[in-house]
Amino acid sequence: MPLLPTRQISLASTHTTIEDLQAIFTGTFLAAIGVTVLSKAGLVTGGVVGVALLVHQLTGFSFGLFFAAVNLPFYILAVRKKGWGFTIKTLGSVLLLSAFCEAIPSLVRFDSIDLIFASISGGLLAGVGLLILFRHNASLGGFNILCLYLQEAFGLRAGITQLTLDCLVLLLFAMTDSIHTALISLIATVILNLTLANNHRADRYTGKSAEQC
């Protein structure tokens, strides 16, 4: 099969605006389902999502509102290091996830859910959702922004860096809940971050959004 000229390869690997919008909707929707499953089981994951889940479970405060508010300081880093295109799409993703997480619990009800199943399925759904966002130059804010910056600037895998930070969140969760529940939550966190570490690598994926080209 003949090789495509370099310019054609570049054009073929560029995401259109419609593709980016579709990816943001799909990624946040999958991540929101994952967060809902974890929340219903009384579990958390890492990152700012995990912090928001922890606050919600301890105080009953709205996950969506807290998640949107706590992300605000990270947008400064996003604008400086990743540009306005990334920042705007990330802001949209955060607001959309917050809206989904407020709406989904009223649309889906769980009479009971196995903790291990919730941990595995919640971690996979959130991980795939994040992966879709990452590949379209977006994120869910918070630690995601920092991890993506470190990967691009220093070659540190986003999934591995995220896992380290997430473990700190789980340690805090263990101090406020129980070690048993925290260990089950760790399953979700590991699955989520391994999904990112194995599938979002600069040496394997070349797709870019228009503002990155």
Side-chain angles (χ1 to χ4, degrees):
M1 180 181 295
L3 296 176
L4 290 172
T6 302
R7 187 171 184 275
Q8 286 182 286
I9 293 175
S10 176
L11 290 174
S13 64
T14 301
H15 298 133
T16 65
T17 300
I18 296 298
E19 289 171 340
D20 282 342
L21 291 174
Q22 187 271 339
I24 289 173
F25 178 89
T26 304
T28 53
F29 186 70
L30 290 176
I33 296 174
V35 169
T36 301
V37 169
L38 292 172
S39 178
K40 291 298 183 181
L43 304 174
V44 302
T45 184
V48 174
V49 171
V51 174
L53 275 174
L54 182 58
V55 170
H56 171 69
Q57 292 174 14
L58 290 177
T59 68
F61 189 81
S62 167
F63 167 86
L65 290 177
F66 184 85
F67 179 68
V70 79
N71 267 293
L72 293 176
F74 289 95
Y75 294 127
I76 299 174
L77 175 63
V79 171
R80 291 181 177 178
K81 301 299 183 181
K82 298 285 292 178
W84 279 106
F86 172 85
T87 304
I88 291 172
K89 287 195 288 188
T90 293
L91 175 60
S93 299
V94 168
L95 294 177
L96 197 55
L97 179 79
S98 298
F100 281 146
C101 286
E102 290 298 312
I104 289 176
S106 65
L107 301 174
V108 179
R109 286 174 169 74
F110 297 89
D111 292 328
S112 65
I113 185 168
D114 180 77
L115 291 182
I116 300 297
F117 173 81
S119 185
I120 294 173
S121 59
L124 278 174
L125 286 166
V128 172
L130 272 173
L131 178 62
I132 293 173
L133 294 176
F134 282 8
R135 289 189 169 183
H136 286 262
N137 195 35
S139 78
L140 289 177
F143 295 165
N144 293 167
I145 295 174
L146 177 61
C147 293
L148 285 174
Y149 166 69
L150 291 175
Q151 174 168 293
E152 295 183 4
F154 303 104
L156 300 176
R157 288 192 189 178
I160 300 301
T161 307
Q162 182 88 37
L163 179 59
T164 302
L165 296 173
D166 289 350
C167 286
L168 296 178
V169 176
L170 290 178
L171 179 60
L172 178 62
F173 179 55
M175 295 170 61
T176 60
D177 194 279
S178 70
I179 294 178
H180 174 70
T181 308
L183 288 175
I184 296 178
S185 295
L186 180 61
I187 297 174
T189 301
V190 170
I191 289 175
L192 188 158
N193 286 287
L194 285 179
T195 300
L196 297 179
N198 290 332
N199 295 282
H200 187 68
R201 294 175 54 174
D203 59 335
R204 289 183 177 175
Y205 185 72
T206 58
K208 293 182 178 181
S209 294
E211 70 272 10
Q212 294 176 286
C213 299

